[in-house]
């Protein structure tokens, strides 16, 4: 079973959440993905979150918008680390999503990314796995080195 699970509240979240998927595919790290809605499919949410650890998941990335209860509800049902991605909304620009996800009660944490921060969610998931996985650690460090090299090279265009 893939260690990283990516879920989103709606297929409309896909354009944002695919950034996490693309990052993991770029680094050749396997993952699984699904649509799980806190409000529209609560029983699916319950089954998924209750079983996530026992089927081998190690970290969960959950993107949701608006009244974004998905990451918090997952976190309430599993002790796995949950990384929340607030999706930008048309009416409140994702501030609603961000506040819904970040304001968890003491005792049930969700690691909250920036609005639409799906790429960083993938990198953060890799950082968690890298603690105990040398191959992922090497991939993450190479990614960061390449990023630094690119910025240092681009810098020459402006100085
Ligand atoms: C949330 O409601 C989803 O995560 C999505 O961001 C938002 C809107 O969903 P749709 O109406 O587009 O399905 O649950």
């Amino acid at each position: 079973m893939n260690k990283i699970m990516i879920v989103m509240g709606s297929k409309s979240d896909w354009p944002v959440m695919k950034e996490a998927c693309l990052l993991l595919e770029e680094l050749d790290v396997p993952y699984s993905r699904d649509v799980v809605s806190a409000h529209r499919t609560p029983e699916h949410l319950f089954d998924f979150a209750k079983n996530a650890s026992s089927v081998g998941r190690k970290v969960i990335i959950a993107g949701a918008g608006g009244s974004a209860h998905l990451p918090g509800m997952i976190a309430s049902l599993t002790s796995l680390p949950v990384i929340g991605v607030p999706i930008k909304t048309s009416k409140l620009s994702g501030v609603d999503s961000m506040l819904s996800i970040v304001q968890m009660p003491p005792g049930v944490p969700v690691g909250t990314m920036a609005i639409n921060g799906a790429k960083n969610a993938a990198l953060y998931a890799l950082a968690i796995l890298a603690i105990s996985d040398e191959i992922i650690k090497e991939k993450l460090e190479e990614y960061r080195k390449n990023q630094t090299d690119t910025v240092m090279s681009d810098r020459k265009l402006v100085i």
Side-chain angles (χ1 to χ4, degrees), residues 7 34-37 41-50:
V7 294
D34 195 2
V35 170
V36 181
S37 170
T41 66
E43 290 173 7
H44 179 40
L45 160 66
F46 193 90
D47 285 347
F48 154 68
K50 287 295 280 183

Side-chain angles (χ1 to χ4, degrees), residues 31-91:
Y31 68 94
S32 301
R33 63 190 188 214
D34 195 2
V35 170
V36 181
S37 170
H39 305 114
R40 294 164 173 158
T41 66
E43 290 173 7
H44 179 40
L45 160 66
F46 193 90
D47 285 347
F48 154 68
K50 287 295 280 183
N51 294 320
S53 181
S54 62
V55 300
R57 308 300 186 194
K58 298 297 181 194
V59 58
I60 297 169
I61 297 171
S67 183
H69 294 137
L70 179 63
M73 283 307 298
I74 293 170
S76 77
L77 293 160
T78 178
S79 59
L80 292 173
V82 178
I83 304 169
V85 179
I87 304 290
K88 185 173 183 178
T89 52
S90 56
K91 293 187 179 68

Side-chain angles (χ1 to χ4, degrees):
M1 189 67 76
N2 295 328
K3 293 178 181 174
I4 301 178
M5 182 72 198
I6 299 175
V7 294
M8 60 209 85
S10 166
K11 73 177 191 306
S12 67
D13 298 329
W14 173 244
V16 172
M17 295 309 293
K18 80 174 179 194
E19 294 299 325
C21 301
L22 290 173
L23 187 283
L24 295 174
E25 288 164 21
E26 179 186 336
L27 270 57
D28 200 23
V29 176
Y31 68 94
S32 301
R33 63 190 188 214
D34 195 2
V35 170
V36 181
S37 170
H39 305 114
R40 294 164 173 158
T41 66
E43 290 173 7
H44 179 40
L45 160 66
F46 193 90
D47 285 347
F48 154 68
K50 287 295 280 183
N51 294 320
S53 181
S54 62
V55 300
R57 308 300 186 194
K58 298 297 181 194
V59 58
I60 297 169
I61 297 171
S67 183
H69 294 137
L70 179 63
M73 283 307 298
I74 293 170
S76 77
L77 293 160
T78 178
S79 59
L80 292 173
V82 178
I83 304 169
V85 179
I87 304 290
K88 185 173 183 178
T89 52
S90 56
K91 293 187 179 68
L92 294 171
S93 301
V95 174
D96 44 351
S97 321
M98 180 183 67
L99 294 178
S100 294
I101 295 174
V102 79
Q103 289 290 358
M104 287 297 290
V108 187
V110 169
T112 307
M113 298 293 105
I115 295 168
N116 282 0
K119 184 175 181 178
N120 268 1
L123 289 167
Y124 198 53
L126 292 175
I128 291 169
L129 296 180
I131 293 168
S132 57
D133 186 321
E134 201 58 35
I135 293 172
I136 288 180
K137 185 175 179 216
E138 283 169 14
K139 288 182 178 184
L140 191 54
E141 288 180 350
E142 189 185 353
Y143 175 86
R144 295 288 291 262
K145 181 184 180 308
N146 289 341
Q147 181 172 248
T148 299
D149 290 347
T150 299
V151 173
M152 291 304 283
S153 173
D154 288 350
R155 178 173 158 264
K156 293 182 186 132
L157 299 172
V158 293
I159 59 176

